[in-house]
Amino acid sequence: MFKFNFAVTSEADKDVSSNEKKLIVSEESSKCWFPAKCHYPRDWHQDIVDRAKPVIVEKWKKLKYLTLEDVENEIKKAGASQNISPTLYENTDLVPAVYEGGLKIWECTWDLMLHLDKKKINFDGIRVLELGCGAGLVGLYASIQGAHVFLQDYNEEVINYMTIPNAILNLSGVKQAEERVRFFSGDWGSLCEVLESSIATQEEEEPAWKKMKGEKYFPEKFKFDLILTSETIYNPDSYGKLLKIFKKTLKSDAKVFLAAKSYYFGVGGGTYQFKKLIEEDGVFDVKSICTNDDGVRREILELMFKQRQ
């Protein structure tokens, strides 16, 4: 059963109706966004996996993930940073620019997974970016089927204690996870340069932006065949940064699948507002390709570059 804005993590949660769950937001933030950076699987991530009792989703390639309880215990054991403490100790889902909700598996994640499963996409060998990945389930679903996957979430604690361990779980070890997935934390505003540097290193080339003056450059051969994101358009202030990533890193004939709610109470964003921005910007065609009206309306948007006449 899906519940408004909350992942199913316990039997107690399953008894709470959609209308009783809302996104809990704290306004206490300096709005100084963390810069983007890379992360790498290490042996200590394997130790986290070895201690965990993961959930197995038989429906989707036996996908596995750590429970929220396991992740929170590991973060506390390591010494929780001030950034992640709101969700651990204050029952807060979001503190803008401090903690962006990455520890929970939100319901649109499952919507997007179901859509990809129905589409029967051939992931073998393609380059996929998942933005706001949290647990990384959507991207790892693609990786299991042969995609080269790049996973990004805002908080490095989410990447280190949830995303990377989940990758190790699903890809059978640290070495395999490092070979098949790249991991990034930080703000979307500084992500493009870090992504390109990572891909250029993988391709044994110098990043193109180092050769250019002025606007940063992201060459077509480094771009993504598919961009996936879910529950990431709750804050209208971030729309410009998200749209910039789409424009700079998506291949000319590729697609974005974006899963979200029509409106996020307490924050103000949603699919209606985002679609309006896309239409006014005029670079992408956008259409709703699937909807769910159980409770607050959820939908999946498909974005593609407009074809030049």
Side-chain angles (χ1 to χ4, degrees), residues 83-84 87 92-104 155 158:
N83 304 322
I84 212 77
T87 190
T92 298
D93 294 320
L94 174 65
V95 182
V98 176
Y99 170 66
E100 293 287 335
L103 288 181
K104 291 187 178 180
N155 290 97
V158 172

Side-chain angles (χ1 to χ4, degrees), residues 121-140:
I121 294 171
N122 181 7
F123 287 104
D124 191 32
I126 70 171
R127 185 174 283 151
V128 176
L129 171 64
E130 185 186 1
L131 297 167
C133 67
L137 299 186
V138 179
L140 291 174

Side-chain angles (χ1 to χ4, degrees), residues 85-214:
S85 60
T87 190
L88 298 179
Y89 304 112
E90 302 169 21
N91 193 33
T92 298
D93 294 320
L94 174 65
V95 182
V98 176
Y99 170 66
E100 293 287 335
L103 288 181
K104 291 187 178 180
I105 301 175
W106 305 95
E107 56 192 350
C108 287
T109 295
W110 305 114
D111 293 345
L112 188 52
M113 293 270 287
L114 183 61
H115 174 69
L116 294 176
D117 192 53
K118 287 181 176 179
K119 290 280 288 185
K120 304 298 181 187
I121 294 171
N122 181 7
F123 287 104
D124 191 32
I126 70 171
R127 185 174 283 151
V128 176
L129 171 64
E130 185 186 1
L131 297 167
C133 67
L137 299 186
V138 179
L140 291 174
Y141 173 81
S143 180
I144 288 170
Q145 298 178 77
H148 303 292
V149 174
F150 292 68
L151 297 176
Q152 178 274 340
D153 202 86
Y154 182 68
N155 290 97
E156 63 180 270
E157 296 87 351
V158 172
I159 294 294
N160 274 319
Y161 292 94
M162 190 177 211
T163 318
I164 293 178
N166 283 343
I168 292 171
L169 261 175
N170 286 282
L171 300 174
S172 303
V174 171
K175 182 179 179 181
Q176 292 86 341
E178 187 170 13
E179 289 175 349
R180 296 172 60 183
V181 184
R182 296 292 177 97
F183 305 90
F184 305 86
S185 68
D187 182 42
W188 291 336
S190 55
L191 181 63
C192 288
E193 184 176 318
V194 178
L195 282 172
E196 192 198 340
S197 294
S198 177
I199 297 170
T201 300
Q202 192 175 40
E203 301 290 337
E204 298 183 348
E205 294 187 21
E206 183 179 8
W209 60 264
K210 289 188 176 181
K211 308 172 188 176
M212 306 284 289
K213 292 183 179 180

